[in-house]
Amino acid sequence: MVGLANIVLNDSFAVGNVSVVQGRNGIFVAMPSYKAGNKYKDVCFPITKEFREKVNNAVIKTYQQAKEQALQEGQERAMKQLQTDDRGFMKYNGE
């Protein structure tokens, strides 16, 4: 698992603990589930293929945007902390 999501539908219904998973064939979305014997059963799920694709695409797009933003913020923070002085020596700003 690479992430967790909460989905809100029409400002009226929320689905929590939606997993973003890195599988062998790429990233996919797994709905919240429970174990029943040897199998896992989804607590809730899209009924149509079209809506499943819409939910999966929205969750994956949002995950990728959040990941990119976190990487960008981390790089900016690192650049602020590791600067050079006027002589070219690296100085550390431990804010």
Side-chain angles (χ1 to χ4, degrees):
M1 180 173 57
V2 295
L4 279 175
N6 295 316
I7 301 172
V8 178
L9 303 170
N10 293 336
D11 293 324
S12 302
F13 187 79
V15 180
N17 295 321
V18 176
S19 299
V20 181
V21 181
Q22 178 66 53
R24 290 185 190 134
N25 298 321
I27 293 175
F28 67 94
V29 176
M31 291 293 161
S33 61
Y34 65 95
K35 191 168 185 176
N38 293 341
K39 296 183 179 181
Y40 284 91
K41 304 260 184 182
D42 285 346
V43 174
C44 57
F45 50 89
I47 294 175
T48 65
K49 177 183 176 184
E50 293 79 15
F51 192 67
R52 177 178 296 277
E53 289 173 357
K54 190 173 184 177
V55 168
N56 287 350
N57 291 340
V59 170
I60 290 169
K61 180 180 178 182
T62 301
Y63 163 76
Q64 291 171 334
Q65 288 172 340
K67 182 179 172 183
E68 183 62 36
Q69 181 179 351
L71 288 172
Q72 182 69 30
E73 289 172 0
Q75 290 172 347
E76 289 171 4
R77 209 172 12 246
M79 292 305 292
K80 275 185 171 178
Q81 289 179 344
L82 296 174
Q83 298 176 357
T84 57
D85 63 15
D86 57 348
R87 298 170 294 167
F89 291 106
M90 209 166 27
K91 59 183 179 180
Y92 175 75
N93 182 2
E95 295 178 345

